[in-house]
Structure formats: C-alpha cells, structure tokens
C-alpha cells in the first residue's frame, strides 16, 4: 500500500525549490527596481516596479545581437558535436575494436583539461586560420571541450541497447552504417537529445574562449556581452540583472518545452527487463 507524502516532505520540497531558485528570483526582483533603490535598500519588493532596466539593457548594448551570436554558435556546436560523437560512441561501443576502454578513458581525460590550459594553442590556431571574430572561430574550441563529454555520455546510452537488435539487422543484410542509422540511433534518440541540450547550454554559457577569440563587439556572445555592461566608474546592476533575465528565459523555455524528452533520456535504460 502506497503511503502519501507527509506535510514535512512538502515543506522540505518548498524550501529546496526556494533555495535553488533564489538567485534567479533575486535577479528578477533587482531588475524591476528603480536604479536608486538597488543600492539604497535591501527590500525584497519595490513599491515602484518598472521596466527601465530592461529598456536600458536592450538599448545601451546590442543584447539581441549577443543572443543571436550565442544561438548560432551554440546551435552549430551542438549539431557538429552530436554528429561526430554519435559515430564515435557507436564505433567504440558496438563495433569489434580493441582497446575500447582505453579510448573512452582518453576521451574522458581530454574533457578534464581546464580551458585556461588550452586557450593559448587554440588562440594561435584560430588566429593563424584567420577565424577570429567569426562563428567558426568559436565553434572550433567549443567542439574541443564538448565533444569528449558528448562521446562519453552517448557511449553509456549505446551500451544499453540490446545487441540482439543489431545482430538481427546484420542478418537482414544491413551494413554497419545502415544499422546505426535505422536501428541504433532511433533507439538512442532520447539520450542523443539530452546530450544535445547539455552541449547547447554549455556552449551558451561559455565565457573564456568567447572573450579571447571574438574581441569585436558585434561578434560577442551573451556571457561576454553582459560583462561589458559595466563602465569605468560604476556597475549598472539594474541593466545587468535585466539582461540576465532576458537571456535566461529562452534557455528556461527550451528546457521546459523538452522536459519530457530530457527526463526520458536521463532515465533511459535504468530499468532492467
């Protein structure tokens, strides 16, 4: 007989959600305060809410251009990372290749390198190729940091697919590529989708490479663009808070819209038959 959750559970859940959401709630409340109240008081709610900070965030800096740059770079990074990671994960998990564990170990080790350790060679490479202040110039380093993680995550999903399905496809005369395209990839779609969301958000939030490679304001992405709101003598926290809310909403909507697929991907293969 199933027991209903007690009042203590709901209190704990409410407190937990509040703690998790507190930074975003505080940023939102700051964004609707008049500039004079942001520094003069620590009240949660203002008696005079307004959208002046949102207007300033959209006019003082090309925020919409920053968002467009982030969408293009993150989208290209996600598509390329999933394409290469899918083939690589399939090869190391489903094909008879020696040293699979070593390959996956090296892939995981590559993802552990801090960005600051590889920024110099990446910067020199992008500069020599003439790709600074361009989308491709950011996609290249983003692939280097997202591809190992995508391979490792997809490999765990591909391992959980029964090998009997692949053997049946081979008996029907399917080639390895046909087996991957028609059997393995569709079954691993929830995991691929979840990996894509993770890669997209990671590329959207990346700061160091974007700051170093794209120095022209028109090519900056969201994290770098928001950091440029500060002036020499003051920091416009109202504008920064409003810009943060604006650029966070698309990501939140993306996750909420695809939450069922994300949960399906995260729980895929967790139940044994």
């Amino acid at each position: 007989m199933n027991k209903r959750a007690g009042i203590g559970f709901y209190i704990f859940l409410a407190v937990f959600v509040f703690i998790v959401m507190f930074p975003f709630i505080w940023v939102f409340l700051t964004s609707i305060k008049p500039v004079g109240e942001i520094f003069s008081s620590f009240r949660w709610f203002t008696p005079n809410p307004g959208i002046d900070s949102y207007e300033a965030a959209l006019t003082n800096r090309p925020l919409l251009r920053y968002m467009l740059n982030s969408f293009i770079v993150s989208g290209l990074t996600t598509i390329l990372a999933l394409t290469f990671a899918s083939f690589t994960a399939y090869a190391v998990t489903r094909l008879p290749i020696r040293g699979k564990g070593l390959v996956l170990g090296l892939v995981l080790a590559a993802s552990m390198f801090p960005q600051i350790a590889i920024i110099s060679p990446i910067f020199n490479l992008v500069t020599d190729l003439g790709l600074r202040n361009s989308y491709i110039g950011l996609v290249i380093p983003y692939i280097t940091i997202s591809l190992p993680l995508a391979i490792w995550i997809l490999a765990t999903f591909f391992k959980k697919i029964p090998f009997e399905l692949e053997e049946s496809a081979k008996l029907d005369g399917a080639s390895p590529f046909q087996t991957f395209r028609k059997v393995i990839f569709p079954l691993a779609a929830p995991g691929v989708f979840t990996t894509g969301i993770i890669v997209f958000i990671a590329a959207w939030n990346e700061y160091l490479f974007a700051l170093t490679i794209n120095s022209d304001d028109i090519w900056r992405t969201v994290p770098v663009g928001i950091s440029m709101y500060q002036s020499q003598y003051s920091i416009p926290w109202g504008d920064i808070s409003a810009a943060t809310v604006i650029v966070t909403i698309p990501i939140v909507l993306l996750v909420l819209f695809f939450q069922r697929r994300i949960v399906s991907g995260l729980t895929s293969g967790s139940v044994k038959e």
Side-chain angles (χ1 to χ4, degrees):
M1 185 176 181
N2 296 328
K3 295 182 178 180
R4 293 184 177 180
I7 186 65
F9 171 78
Y10 291 104
I11 293 176
F12 170 79
L13 183 62
V15 173
F16 176 78
V17 173
F18 174 77
I19 293 175
V20 172
M21 293 297 297
F22 175 77
F24 184 77
I25 295 174
W26 185 260
V27 168
F28 172 73
L29 294 177
T30 302
S31 69
I32 61 176
K33 290 181 180 179
V35 177
E37 292 187 16
I38 295 177
F39 301 98
S40 61
S41 67
F42 292 95
R43 291 181 299 180
W44 278 75
F45 303 99
T46 174
N48 303 305
I51 59 172
D52 295 340
S53 295
Y54 289 89
E55 294 177 356
L58 292 171
T59 56
N60 293 340
R61 286 281 179 177
L63 182 61
L64 296 181
R65 175 68 187 194
Y66 297 154
M67 295 179 66
L68 175 63
N69 294 339
S70 290
F71 270 117
I72 294 176
V73 172
S74 301
L76 290 175
T77 300
T78 302
I79 294 173
L80 293 175
L82 289 181
T83 300
F84 291 111
S86 298
F87 287 115
T88 304
Y90 173 73
V92 299
T93 57
R94 316 293 298 192
L95 300 181
I97 300 177
R98 294 182 179 180
K100 297 179 180 180
L102 178 61
V103 172
L104 288 177
L106 292 175
V107 167
L108 182 61
S111 65
M112 298 299 177
F113 280 93
Q115 295 182 16
I116 193 64
I118 61 175
I119 186 65
S120 179
I122 290 293
F123 179 81
N124 292 334
L125 173 64
V126 173
T127 302
D128 293 341
L129 294 176
L131 296 176
R132 289 196 61 197
N133 294 315
S134 67
Y135 295 135
I136 301 300
L138 274 186
V139 171
I140 291 176
Y142 284 6
I143 288 293
T144 63
I145 60 178
S146 62
L147 188 58
L149 180 62
I151 293 174
W152 184 264
I153 296 177
L154 289 178
T156 61
F157 288 105
F158 287 165
K159 286 180 181 178
K160 296 172 183 177
I161 299 176
F163 282 89
E164 290 77 7
L165 298 176
E166 192 171 1
E167 293 175 355
S168 299
K170 291 180 180 179
L171 291 176
D172 292 336
S175 64
F177 178 75
Q178 291 175 328
T179 303
F180 167 78
R181 182 171 60 89
K182 296 182 179 181
V183 179
I184 303 301
F185 190 82
L187 293 175
V192 174
F193 192 88
T194 303
T195 305
I197 292 294
I198 295 174
V199 172
F200 185 90
I201 294 177
W204 178 275
N205 293 328
E206 201 282 327
Y207 179 81
L208 181 60
F209 287 120
L211 175 66
T212 306
I213 294 175
N214 284 3
S215 57
D216 194 339
D217 193 50
I218 198 175
W219 294 102
R220 285 176 176 146
T221 57
V222 162
V224 180
I226 293 180
S227 69
M228 295 298 169
Y229 274 85
Q230 58 184 341
S231 61
Q232 184 177 359
Y233 300 103
S234 64
I235 300 178
W237 289 115
D239 299 3
I240 294 175
S241 300
T244 302
V245 173
I246 293 173
V247 302
T248 303
I249 289 176
I251 300 299
V252 173
L253 294 178
L254 180 68
V255 174
L256 290 178
F257 185 78
F258 295 110
Q259 61 177 333
R260 290 187 178 180
R261 292 180 178 270
I262 295 174
V263 173
S264 176
L266 292 175
T267 59
S268 178
S270 60
V271 180
K272 295 182 179 180
E273 298 182 356

